Structure formats: C-alpha cells, structure tokens
Amino acid sequence: MKQAELTGLLCVIWAVTLLYGEMVAFWRPSLGSCSWPHQSNNASSSMVDRDYVKVAVLTDPQLMDRTSLPLPPKSLALELAQFFADLFMRRAFHQSVLPLQPDVIFFLGDYFDGGPYLSDEEWKESLSRLKHIFSLSAHERYSNIPVYYLSGNHDIGYGILHSRRAEAIKRYEKEFGSRNHRFAVGKVEFIAIDAQTIDGNPQGILTSSTHDFIKNVSMDVQAYPRVLLTHIPLYRQDWTDCGPNRNSEIINQRILRSADGQEVVYQNYITKESSKYLLDSIQPVLVLSGHDHDQCHVIHESKYGPVGEYTVGTVSWQQGNLYPSFMLVSTSNFVPSTASNAEEAILTQPCFLPMQTHIYIWYLSLFALTLLALLLWPSSGVSVGHHFSDLMGLGKQLISSIRSRTKEKNEDLNCEYEMIWDAEGSMHLVKKALSTPIARTSEKNLVERGTAVMRPTARKNSSQEIEVTVNADTDTDAMAKLLPRASRSWTKRVIKRLVRTFRMVIIIAAVNVPLYVMLLFKDWIDQ
C-alpha cells in the first residue's frame, strides 16, 4: 500500500468514527435497542398503542455552572465543559428520546447544578440553556408534548437553605410550578412531592405544606393506580442490591442535620419513618425517583403489600455515571379490573445512552494509532523489510570492518624477525612468534649472537611497531568517517519521516476537522 493510499484509508476511518460517535451512536435506542414496554410481537402495534400512554422519564441533567468545577467563571475550560455536556443531552433528547414519539415527558429534578447559589442573571442563563437542550420553549416544534417537573435538591436546596434562600424556591415555582402536585396520565394518577422538605423541621412552612398535601391525597378516594414521584429515593437498608442495571457501587444512607437537628443539610435517601409514611398514605403501585445518578430497582414493604421503586440514572455523561440513561413508562388507558392487575397498568423499561467517555477514549487511541502508522509506514515503492535490511547491512559493514582491521594488527603484533648467519657467513631474516609480551621486547636489544649485536632485530621491531601504529590510526580514521556518515544518513531519514508524518496529519485533519465541527453544531442549532 502506497503512502497516499494509507492517508486516504485513515481519512475514511476517521470520518466513519466521527459519524458514529457524534451521530449514529445516539440512534440505537430509537432503532430498536430500546422500545416501549407495552409493545409486543403478538399484537398489532397500533392496537396496543391505543391502550397505553407513552411516557419518557429523564432526571438529573444538572447543567454545569460556576459551582460545578474549580475553574474561573467564564473561563474557556468551563465553557467547553458546559458545551459538551449540553450537546450530549441535546443529542440524547432529539436523537434518542423524541424519535420514540413519547406522549408525555417527566423530569425528576436537578435541572441545575448550583441552583440555590446562582444569581438571578446566572439562573436565567442556565434556564435558557435548559430550554434549548430539551426544546422547552413555547415556539418549539415539540411544544405540544406535555411536560411535568419535579423539584430537586440542586434546584431549591435542602431544608437548611429554605429559610436563607427563599428566592430560590420562588423563582423555581414561578417557572416550573408547584413543588407538590398531582396529575393523571391515561388511567394512572401521579403524585409528585417535594422530597427535600419531607424530613425538615415539622414546624416549618414548607415541610408542613408538603405533609398537608400528602394528607389530602390519602383522604381522597383512589380511583386509579398511583405512582409516587420523588427526587430523593425512599429509604433502603445499607448495601441493598440494586439489580443488574447498576454500574457503580451501592450508596448507603447518609443524612446530615443542622446543629439544632431540625433542618436537613444533606441526605442520600428519605428517612425510614418518612418513607413508610409516604407508602402507607399514598398507596402507590410504583415509585420513580432520581438523585442517585445510577440505576436501581428495589422492593419496599408496606402495609398494603410490596411496592417496586425504580431510580432512574442521570441523563448527563458528566455526572459520575459512564452509562447515562432514561426510562420509558407505559401507562394504561384502561382501569384495571382487579387490584392484582394494577401493577400491569404501569410498565417500565430503562434505556441506555451512548458511553461518551468511551467514545473520547477511542478518539485518543485512534489518534495514537494514526501517528504510529504514518511514522512507521515505508515510503512509496519500498517494503517495510527493506528498511530493516538497510539498517542491518549498515551494522554488519561496521562490524566486519572492525574485525578485519583487528586481525591484521594481531598478526603483525604477535611476531618478530631474527637475523641468522649460515656457515658461509650469509645473513637470513626469519619470522618467529613472540614468546614474551611485546612490552618486554626492549629488553632484547642488548642480546648478542656471536660477534654481532642483535640491534637490527630491535630496529625491525621498532619499524613494525610504527607500521602497526599507522595501521591502527588508519582504521580509526576509517571508522570515524563511516560512523558520522551513517549517523547523518539516519538523522536525515528521521527528519524526513517526521516531516512526511506531519504533512499527512495535516491532510487528515483538513478533511475531518471540518466534518467534526459540522457535526457539533448541526445538533446545537435550533431544529
């Protein structure tokens, strides 16, 4: 494969990855991986749909603001975190929830993150973002879908804040309606309570109004099956199993009160006494809650029998849950014939959204793989093995040169020439191996044979030493020239490869960055 072909292939891989991660991944719930619980293969879909009302339940968007992260307000990092969190929820709502064509939508609280602590200007800005994400403005094309709201602790705070920040409750009720209310969907009645006040000071106005509302509901004749809506889940024992859809560790009860013990500072669940009071007074067949940010299904015991509770996971990917979700609820359009059939009148199905964190991890992994492929891929027309053979050949050449020069030097250094006179008085030079180290040859300079002094031998050895020294210097010069030459060649190749990789990355980015930006803002603009 040539270099241009590799670049083209990587461009296609990146484009497909971006299309999936930024668009196709959100289609899965609406394409069949999640369906309305009342639908079955044994009956006509239109016939079944007429018997049920389709309700989509979302909770804990907790729009990020200056209280969410230890970042300066209006900083670029905070703005980017807000944008990508908002964009995920907008995509989830428009591409996963709305294509399922719900008849009604429930929000179970915590629309803002620092709701009670925001100024009026900041709160209005967050409210504008919330309406844009979930198309809640009156002019939106989906404004004909009824929407019901439930207050959360990040919207109005716990009891300790109610007397100090009364304006937080006033502006919440002005925009979202009463904190305690009831309504019917099909032939099912929903009771929404302000769970943040249920365990507060009994003498407080907000707590007493919540108890008065519950008392009035309990006194009314129950014509339809009831569903209790509470942002804070009901009490459960520590380490209670939450079922197979739970992804994080079980959170146990933790409740903090003020110094006088009258107001709640924080709580994970409603107290055991208040939970029993709600179940016995309202007599629900189902409880829906949020607050926990993860899925949980538990069974509560009441004097009227077991009651199931579904805690719905957060719809945001930046609220501590890698698996954001929402829930589909089918409520019957008929009154159950017997009390035993009441539970069948409300059917539930959890639905999971794309794992955005995993998508970003895959982007980073693909980026690393792209760099490696471009760096290591051979130039066009040259095989990968050819590059390795060049490198091996260079190494072998250096090693063989060193070995051959070393052998010559060893042969000359390990011998000497001796002068021998025959009977006629002629002299002959005989090459003999050294019997002692060369370092001691200077001691033989004074040895004599007959009437002749063996100085010529010393001169011969001295000249040989000079020759060896010259050869050694010649070898050093040759290697000194060869190594820098190889080093320069290798450095040139590395620089050339880096430049080529940078050029190819620019080409891939030029194709896919505009595509990514287009996908980002395609879902952010008004639909």
Side-chain angles (χ1 to χ4, degrees):
M1 181 182 294
K2 296 182 180 180
Q3 179 181 335
E5 294 174 347
L6 174 64
T7 305
L9 177 61
L10 289 173
C11 284
V12 172
I13 292 175
W14 269 103
V16 172
T17 299
L18 293 176
L19 287 172
Y20 176 81
E22 304 300 317
M23 184 169 62
V24 179
F26 290 89
W27 295 351
R28 290 182 299 168
S30 58
L31 290 177
S33 63
C34 190
S35 60
W36 296 101
H38 66 272
Q39 292 178 347
S40 65
N41 296 327
N42 297 327
S44 170
S45 177
S46 60
M47 290 281 293
V48 173
D49 284 346
R50 284 198 299 266
D51 294 335
Y52 285 89
V53 180
K54 297 177 289 187
V55 181
V57 182
L58 298 90
T59 187
D60 295 273
Q62 283 189 220
L63 269 61
M64 302 182 73
D65 51 46
R66 62 174 175 82
T67 67
S68 304
L69 298 172
L71 296 172
K74 302 297 182 180
S75 63
L76 178 61
L78 181 59
E79 294 289 339
L80 288 175
Q82 292 176 355
F83 174 76
F84 283 100
D86 294 356
L87 179 64
F88 176 88
M89 290 185 286
R90 182 169 173 83
R91 284 174 169 167
F93 186 74
H94 284 273
Q95 299 183 28
S96 297
V97 178
L98 289 181
L100 292 168
Q101 300 179 348
D103 301 315
V104 183
I105 296 175
F106 292 170
F107 284 97
L108 300 183
D110 276 3
Y111 314 113
F112 314 105
D113 200 4
Y117 304 98
L118 300 178
S119 65
D120 288 341
E121 182 180 356
E122 292 172 329
W123 193 83
K124 289 179 181 179
E125 180 183 352
S126 294
L127 177 63
S128 177
R129 288 165 53 200
L130 181 75
K131 290 183 176 181
H132 178 71
I133 292 170
F134 298 106
S135 300
L136 300 176
S137 300
H139 66 276
E140 294 285 353
R141 57 185 291 190
Y142 304 105
S143 58
N144 60 327
I145 302 177
V147 180
Y148 296 93
Y149 302 96
L150 187 64
S151 63
N153 59 289
H154 282 272
D155 303 320
I156 64 174
Y158 291 105
I160 192 67
L161 291 178
H162 294 164
S163 59
R164 304 176 185 179
R165 301 182 181 273
E167 69 279 2
I169 296 179
K170 290 180 180 179
R171 66 190 183 190
Y172 171 86
E173 291 188 322
K174 182 179 179 180
E175 181 64 35
F176 297 101
S178 176
R179 297 170 294 107
N180 300 289
H181 57 104
R182 58 199 295 188
F183 55 91
V185 176
K187 296 299 188 291
V188 176
E189 186 178 18
F190 289 84
I191 311 298
I193 66 163
D194 178 8
Q196 290 70 233
T197 61
I198 192 70
D199 289 316
N201 184 356
Q203 306 303 321
I205 297 177
L206 297 179
T207 300
S208 59
S209 64
T210 299
H211 281 272
D212 290 342
F213 171 78
I214 296 171
K215 183 178 179 181
N216 292 332
V217 170
S218 65
M219 294 175 62
D220 292 342
V221 177
Q222 186 172 344
Y224 301 147
R226 288 174 176 169
V227 176
L228 173 62
L229 303 179
T230 168
H231 175 71
I232 302 176
L234 300 186
Y235 174 81
R236 62 193 64 160
Q237 292 183 350
D238 290 352
W239 309 114
T240 299
D241 183 31
C242 279
N245 292 324
R246 182 81 179 190
N247 297 297
S248 61
E249 294 183 0
I250 302 298
I251 297 177
N252 294 324
Q253 172 67 301
R254 181 166 67 96
I255 182 167
L256 303 176
R257 293 186 180 273
S258 58
D260 57 9
Q262 296 296 310
E263 295 294 356
V264 175
V265 178
Y266 180 84
Q267 64 184 137
N268 288 330
Y269 306 117
I270 297 174
T271 61
K272 185 176 182 179
E273 296 75 18
S274 297
S275 298
K276 184 177 184 304
Y277 169 68
L278 288 171
L279 293 174
D280 293 344
S281 300
I282 297 177
Q283 303 178 36
V285 297
L286 178 69
V287 180
L288 295 178
S289 59
H291 186 61
D292 196 12
H293 290 197
D294 204 346
Q295 294 70 228
C296 188
H297 178 217
V298 296
I299 303 297
H300 301 286
E301 293 295 333
S302 72
K303 66 179 181 180
Y304 299 102
V307 179
E309 177 184 1
Y310 284 96
T311 299
V312 184
T314 176
V315 72
S316 173
W317 72 279
Q318 291 194 15
Q319 293 302 324
N321 188 352
L322 295 178
Y323 304 88
S325 65
F326 62 98
M327 177 165 281
L328 301 180
V329 178
S330 297
T331 63
S332 65
N333 255 330
F334 57 87
V335 179
S337 56
T338 62
S340 61
N341 295 330
E343 293 183 3
E344 299 179 1
I346 304 103
L347 307 175
T348 60
Q349 173 64 52
C351 296
F352 292 91
L353 295 166
M355 294 167 285
Q356 190 66 49
T357 304
H358 292 181
I359 291 175
Y360 288 149
I361 291 175
W362 170 240
Y363 288 169
L364 292 175
S365 302
L366 182 59
F367 179 73
L369 291 173
T370 300
L371 290 181
L372 289 176
L374 293 175
L375 281 170
L376 301 179
W377 201 262
S379 303
S380 88
V382 182
S383 64
V384 178
H386 184 71
H387 287 275
F388 289 103
S389 63
D390 287 346
L391 183 62
M392 294 297 293
L394 179 61
K396 290 180 178 179
Q397 183 179 355
L398 290 173
I399 295 173
S400 61
S401 175
I402 293 172
R403 285 181 175 176
S404 62
R405 296 297 181 181
T406 303
K407 183 177 180 180
E408 292 177 4
K409 290 188 292 182
N410 289 339
E411 289 178 352
D412 290 335
L413 290 173
N414 294 331
C415 66
E416 67 176 357
Y417 292 88
E418 182 179 356
M419 292 183 294
I420 304 297
W421 283 266
D422 57 16
E424 297 177 355
S426 299
M427 183 185 69
H428 301 275
L429 293 178
V430 179
K431 185 176 182 181
K432 299 177 62 178
L434 286 176
S435 59
T436 58
I438 298 177
R440 300 181 61 185
T441 56
S442 59
E443 299 177 359
K444 297 183 179 181
N445 292 339
L446 301 179
V447 178
E448 297 182 357
R449 179 180 181 87
T451 60
V453 180
M454 299 294 291
R455 296 187 182 277
T457 305
R459 287 197 297 271
K460 180 64 179 178
N461 288 336
S462 299
S463 63
Q464 188 67 26
E465 290 176 0
I466 294 173
E467 182 181 355
V468 170
T469 304
V470 171
N471 289 338
D473 293 340
T474 304
D475 293 339
T476 303
D477 292 340
M479 289 191 302
K481 292 179 181 179
L482 184 60
L483 288 174
R485 193 174 299 169
S487 177
R488 286 195 298 269
S489 176
W490 181 255
T491 303
K492 185 177 179 181
R493 286 185 183 181
V494 170
I495 294 175
K496 185 177 180 181
R497 183 62 58 90
L498 290 175
V499 171
R500 188 194 74 175
T501 300
F502 180 75
R503 185 172 65 249
M504 295 302 100
V505 168
I506 292 298
I507 294 174
I508 295 173
V511 174
N512 288 280
V513 169
L515 174 64
Y516 180 65
V517 174
M518 182 191 70
L519 291 173
L520 288 184
F521 291 98
K522 174 187 73 69
D523 297 318
W524 187 248
I525 60 175
D526 292 334
Q527 297 188 9

